[in-house]
Amino acid sequence: MNYDRILIRYGELSTKGRNRKQFITKLKKSILLSLKEFPAITVELSHDRMFIHLNGVPFEAVKDRLSQVFGIQSFSPVVRTGQDIEEMKAAALELVKRNFSPGNTFKVSARRSDKQFELDTNEINYAIGSHVLRNMESLTVDVKNPDINLLVEVRKGGVFLSCEKYPGAAGLPSGTSGRAMLLLSGGIDSPVAGYFMLKRGVEIEAIHFHSPPYTSERAKQKVIDLAERLTAFGAEIKLHIVPFTAIQQKIQEQVPENYTMTSTRRMMLAMADKIRQKRGGLAIVTGESLGQVASQTLESMRAINDVTSTPVLRPLVTMDKLEIIDVARKIGTHDISILPYEDCCTIFTPPSPKTRPKLEKVQRFESFVDFEEMMEQAVEEMETLQLPNEKIMDEFADLL
Ligand code: ATP
Ligand code: MG
């Protein structure tokens, strides 16, 4: 008897009342997307649980991927029996035997969502526990800290048993909290910011400002790879690549050197806001962290933020660089981010950017050029990619 399905438990979802159906549908989509390499897999929805039918795919092959999908509290590979106590006992014994090593302790943790079932949870624990103990000589019980915790869940559709339980990524399923635009550079911080927003169920569209020939094709590919990496968390991501060269050159010509950084950021934010409006986004996300670099003082943030009244979310604002790097490693973006292909900011960064820029000054410097028109044109010319790439998405559409 092998585990042939996975029982998914969702925590925060259960509190969401009437949005529940939408949440569950999105979670299903996230799961299928993250397991897209295994087309045999199907997902069954039920009231307070979800089941993944492995259809021959080994549990070990999908375990790591599943633990990255937001919206899952915990999951267990399970076997199913009918609501028959003899059948349950036999399956329980076989499972414990398979997981047993000499000296192990065990307990049974029954849960009963079908209150019609003939035994209550204590009676189930006792019936199954005593059957297993009778048939396994060296096994002893430890209810506090057992080596083997045999989970038995009695539901209307059958009984599900497992000796394993893994923590999920928690958070909310992708797309349940609305859409936001992520300013994605090739650096370490912004992909981490994106990850935290995905965790809260935000659908992300990434925006990258690209300045050929100052920045290379490889720098662009790096950003595509970063965005693609973020799709592992159960999300589809659109990536907008915006040509930024002309604007950056104009800024260099027009704005005094110590203010070019402030202006560059203002243009980025203003363009991101235009794209957000077109795309129906509700907020803009950046990888800024307070005090990390010159453009990330409160004075700077205020001068930059002035171009829009759209909420600008900065999930990393209180984090230290080392903490951010830790997360970047954990989510697999770090090694892509540290590839040496420079982005537009590195190249155009002045030697000593103003750390306390004055809003009135930067506004005056910018007033001599029609940046508005240049920005409109750049947004017109942007290129949009769908990640993971279209081919995979087409295959995936057939599964839903
Ligand atoms: P990161 O590690 O994310 O590059 P950083 O520490 O280099 O951040 P800055 O260069 O000041 O900090 O950038 C601040 C934020 O501005 C970035 O986190 C990102 O959200 C946005 N940003 C910077 N450059 C670009 C770019 N070329 N395209 C899109 N967004 C950008
Ligand atoms: Mg950067």
Side-chain angles (χ1 to χ4, degrees):
M1 181 178 263
N2 283 323
Y3 289 132
D4 62 352
R5 66 195 83 191
I6 304 171
L7 179 152
I8 306 283
R9 304 175 190 86
Y10 22 84
E12 285 190 60
L13 277 197
S14 22
T15 63
K16 290 289 179 183
R18 66 198 177 87
N19 287 336
R20 185 182 185 85
K21 193 158 187 296
Q22 185 219 359
F23 276 62
I24 292 172
T25 315
K26 299 265 187 194
L27 180 57
K28 174 180 175 180
K29 193 172 173 194
S30 290
I31 290 174
L32 284 173
L33 186 63
S34 74
L35 302 182
K36 61 185 181 294
E37 275 169 49
F38 308 100
I41 282 178
T42 55
V43 174
E44 176 196 343
L45 306 181
S46 82
H47 173 63
D48 57 343
R49 294 281 191 251
M50 202 175 279
F51 290 94
I52 297 178
H53 293 268
L54 288 163
N55 298 321
V57 175
F59 172 65
E60 287 301 319
V62 303
K63 183 179 141 197
D64 289 348
R65 275 158 206 277
L66 208 53
S67 67
Q68 299 191 324
V69 177
F70 292 124
I72 297 179
Q73 210 59 33
S74 68
F75 59 96
S76 297
V78 291
V79 295
R80 179 187 173 283
T81 72
Q83 279 197 1
D84 172 81
I85 190 69
E86 293 309 319
E87 208 188 325
M88 290 158 65
K89 283 180 188 171
L93 179 60
E94 199 183 321
L95 270 187
V96 175
K97 275 190 174 157
R98 210 155 356 109
N99 285 273
F100 175 77
S101 348
N104 275 177
T105 56
F106 113 119
K107 81 167 189 182
V108 183
S109 304
R111 190 175 178 278
R112 190 180 62 145
S113 66
D114 180 4
K115 304 293 181 211
Q116 313 284 306
F117 187 64
E118 52 186 334
L119 305 179
D120 69 17
T121 50
N122 285 331
E123 290 164 343
I124 301 168
N125 286 340
Y126 180 76
I128 292 183
S130 56
H131 177 75
V132 171
L133 286 172
R134 257 199 310 279
N135 287 281
M136 292 188 66
E137 279 189 349
S138 61
L139 190 66
T140 52
V141 171
D142 179 349
V143 289
K144 284 223 173 76
N145 194 17
D147 299 310
I148 300 172
N149 187 3
L150 176 69
L151 307 167
V152 180
E153 186 158 328
V154 179
R155 305 176 57 79
K156 279 226 156 51
V159 180
F160 300 89
L161 299 96
S162 182
C163 290
E164 296 172 43
K165 182 173 182 177
Y166 300 95
L172 300 168
S174 171
T176 52
S177 303
R179 177 181 296 166
M181 317 310 288
L182 168 69
L183 288 183
L184 185 64
S185 68
I188 292 176
D189 303 334
S190 40
V192 175
Y195 163 80
F196 282 129
M197 297 315 296
L198 290 174
K199 179 164 190 194
R200 296 313 301 164
V202 172
E203 179 196 341
I204 276 181
E205 294 199 6
I207 300 175
H208 178 69
F209 297 98
H210 181 52
S211 303
Y214 303 102
T215 59
S216 63
E217 273 305 299
R218 289 203 292 185
K220 177 171 152 187
Q221 187 58 45
K222 178 177 163 183
V223 174
I224 297 173
D225 292 346
L226 284 169
E228 181 120 28
R229 173 64 212 159
L230 288 176
T231 66
F233 301 96
E236 296 161 33
I237 295 182
K238 278 196 168 60
L239 168 61
H240 308 289
I241 299 181
V242 185
F244 198 43
T245 317
I247 294 175
Q248 281 208 297
Q249 283 170 334
K250 204 65 176 174
I251 293 172
Q252 298 296 312
E253 275 169 40
Q254 205 62 41
V255 176
E257 190 184 77
N258 57 355
Y259 269 88
T260 56
M261 165 78 95
T262 313
S263 267
T264 305
R265 292 284 183 258
R266 284 164 56 88
M267 301 296 159
M268 284 185 178
L269 192 57
M271 277 192 277
D273 205 33
K274 290 182 192 299
I275 301 167
R276 176 201 64 77
Q277 216 165 1
K278 282 192 179 187
R279 299 288 315 146
L282 299 168
I284 296 170
V285 179
T286 77
E288 290 163 299
S289 151
L290 190 60
Q292 198 187 87
V293 293
S295 61
Q296 298 176 13
T297 61
L298 284 180
E299 288 87 348
S300 251
M301 283 184 194
R302 176 173 171 269
I304 295 166
N305 213 145
D306 173 71
V307 300
T308 176
S309 60
T310 300
V312 178
L313 307 178
R314 302 177 175 88
L316 311 186
V317 75
T318 64
M319 288 176 76
D320 297 340
K321 191 75 187 183
L322 289 178
E323 291 176 296
I324 299 171
I325 289 175
D326 269 355
V327 181
R329 288 218 165 90
K330 198 182 88 190
I331 66 174
T333 54
H334 177 267
D335 290 358
I336 308 172
S337 292
I338 60 172
L339 293 171
Y341 317 123
E342 317 232 348
D343 73 12
C344 56
C345 308
T346 334
I347 289 162
F348 285 97
T349 300
S352 49
K354 202 101 188 122
T355 52
R356 300 184 198 294
K358 299 271 175 306
L359 179 58
E360 306 65 38
K361 281 198 180 175
V362 69
Q363 281 171 334
R364 186 157 49 78
F365 299 143
E366 288 168 7
S367 66
F368 303 108
V369 180
D370 191 356
F371 280 114
E372 189 55 32
E373 179 165 350
M374 295 183 84
M375 292 196 287
E376 291 287 351
Q377 196 185 340
V379 169
E380 256 334 279
E381 288 168 8
M382 80 186 180
E383 170 195 4
T384 296
L385 307 177
Q386 172 72 55
L387 303 171
N389 71 46
E390 305 279 357
K391 182 169 166 292
I392 295 174
M393 294 308 295
D394 283 351
E395 288 166 15
F396 173 67
D398 298 338
L399 299 176
L400 277 179

